[in-house]
Amino acid sequence: MRLDSRQFSELIKLSFTAVKSDTLGCDGCYEMMDQFAQANLDRVELSDAMRLVRTHIEQCKCCRDEYQSLLTALREVA
Ligand SMILES: [Zn+2]
């Protein structure tokens, strides 16, 4: 399937929207990641800030990998 230029610009617009909804960025995500992991392990309700972390982790492979190893480490300690 080939995209014509109109479809292509729609696609670009969509990907910008996706990036925009992720307001946290990797630095912000990283700062709150341990809190987020702990909240998940404790199964407490997520605050708005923690939801932002979750949104970022879902969209960012780099932070997702980081989060998985953090979670593994925390489980080993527990
Ligand atoms: Zn990230």
Side-chain angles (χ1 to χ4, degrees):
M1 188 185 95
R2 290 175 66 169
L3 298 172
D4 63 32
S5 61
R6 195 187 54 81
Q7 286 171 315
F8 192 69
S9 67
E10 278 304 307
L11 204 67
I12 300 287
K13 231 190 286 172
L14 276 179
S15 47
F16 272 120
T17 313
V19 169
K20 232 176 167 182
S21 70
D22 175 15
T23 51
L24 202 57
C26 291
D27 286 346
C29 178
Y30 200 79
E31 274 175 29
M32 293 198 282
M33 196 181 276
D34 53 341
Q35 270 184 67
F36 177 70
Q38 197 61 56
N40 273 288
L41 287 176
D42 296 342
R43 295 179 190 286
V44 296
E45 201 181 327
L46 296 179
S47 65
D48 286 349
M50 293 299 106
R51 289 202 185 95
L52 284 179
V53 176
R54 186 176 61 189
T55 306
H56 182 86
I57 285 174
E58 281 167 357
Q59 293 178 4
C60 177
K61 187 190 180 302
C62 170
C63 288
R64 201 158 54 225
D65 289 348
E66 193 66 41
Y67 175 65
Q68 289 304 334
S69 36
L70 178 65
L71 212 55
T72 309
L74 283 173
R75 283 205 183 105
E76 277 168 13
V77 171

